Amino acid sequence: MTSHTASFTVQMAPGAPIDGAADRFSLTKTWTGDAEGISRGTMLTAGDPETGSAGYIASELFEGSVGGRTGTLAFQQLGTMTGGAPALQYVIVPGSGTGDLAGTTGTLEIGEIHDDGRHEVRFTLG
């Protein structure tokens, strides 16, 4: 297993609603650090975040480098909040890697989220 640290900023734009989701957003993340590149994806949300109970799913395609290896990877997120307590799964989709990233598996863990919106992330690669 190897570990890499990176950060991203995210831009989100509302999209047209679809069945099964309260809201839909397009997202673009700019990655820096041990992961350099851009990811683009879609997020679907439901629930009532104002009361501390909500959830989202997101899928994104990353293009760039991780730990000096270049290619593409798909990421999936599943986030829930129950009574204000968050739970998050953030994984690399198995079989999604191309180029030097072919065969890459692992997880991402979001750490500190800064006031300017920058998210700190640790990649754990298998």
Side-chain angles (χ1 to χ4, degrees), residues 4 6 8 29 31 35 60 62 66 73-77 88-93 105-111 120-125:
H4 301 281
F8 68 79
K29 294 179 180 174
W31 294 82
E60 61 191 282
F62 170 86
V66 178
L73 291 169
F75 303 147
Q76 287 183 333
Q77 295 180 55
L88 176 65
Q89 294 178 330
Y90 199 176
V91 300
I92 296 170
V93 176
T105 60
T107 61
L108 294 83
E109 179 182 345
I110 295 180
E120 300 290 333
V121 179
R122 175 174 304 281
F123 286 74
T124 303
L125 305 179

Side-chain angles (χ1 to χ4, degrees), residues 1 8 24 27 33-34 38 60 79 86 89 111:
M1 292 244 210
F8 68 79
R24 176 183 179 184
L27 58 90
D34 291 343
I38 300 288
E60 61 191 282
Q89 294 178 330

Side-chain angles (χ1 to χ4, degrees), residues 30-77:
T30 302
W31 294 82
T32 58
D34 291 343
E36 295 274 342
I38 300 288
S39 60
R40 293 178 176 81
T42 301
M43 174 185 286
L44 304 176
T45 66
D48 186 1
E50 303 257 338
T51 65
S53 296
Y56 76 93
I57 58 171
S59 181
E60 61 191 282
L61 183 61
F62 170 86
E63 183 174 359
S65 65
V66 178
R69 297 169 40 205
T70 302
T72 62
L73 291 169
F75 303 147
Q76 287 183 333
Q77 295 180 55

